[in-house]
Amino acid sequence: MGLAFGDIDLGAEIMARLPFGSAVFAGVALALVVAVPMTVAAYLCATGHRHAPLSAIVAGAALVGWIAVQIGVVRSYSWLQPVSAFAGLVVMLAGLRAFPRVGDITSSRRS
């Protein structure tokens, strides 16, 4: 929100590297690629929904992917990038651990 509404100033050099040179575009893209999937995953996990593991995998991968693209496009580095990438990996791995195994799915269908 701070990026899209101009509350966060990245400086002229980084702003010029953003797609379309637009902080609004970058902020909306960040919300769609990272914030929405993480919010959905958090909700599904909190409610114990059967799609919670898959949503965590997707949301974690989206965050890791966002960081990778951010480094490549913006070419600016911060301590927050590896911390965020690690957090994305943790979310993704938690989803993978909770993801039902093929044997578990087939045995539950037989019951």
Side-chain angles (χ1 to χ4, degrees):
M1 296 291 291
L3 184 60
F5 289 117
D7 295 332
I8 297 174
D9 182 21
L10 301 174
E13 185 177 337
I14 293 175
M15 286 295 293
R17 295 180 191 150
L18 294 178
F20 310 112
S22 170
V24 173
F25 179 82
V28 170
L30 178 61
L32 292 175
V33 173
V34 177
V36 170
M38 281 292 182
T39 301
V40 169
Y43 174 78
L44 294 179
C45 290
T47 59
H49 194 278
R50 68 186 184 103
H51 292 303
L54 180 60
S55 69
I57 294 166
V58 170
L63 177 54
V64 171
W66 178 269
I67 297 299
V69 169
Q70 181 187 64
I71 290 170
V73 170
V74 179
R75 297 182 314 271
S76 176
Y77 309 99
S78 164
W79 63 270
L80 196 52
Q81 290 164 325
V83 170
S84 296
F86 180 75
L89 283 172
V90 168
V91 170
M92 189 170 49
L93 291 173
L96 285 169
R97 286 196 59 182
F99 204 80
R101 305 290 180 250
V102 174
D104 297 340
I105 294 170
T106 56
S107 65
S108 69
R109 287 185 182 162
R110 291 181 194 146
S111 308

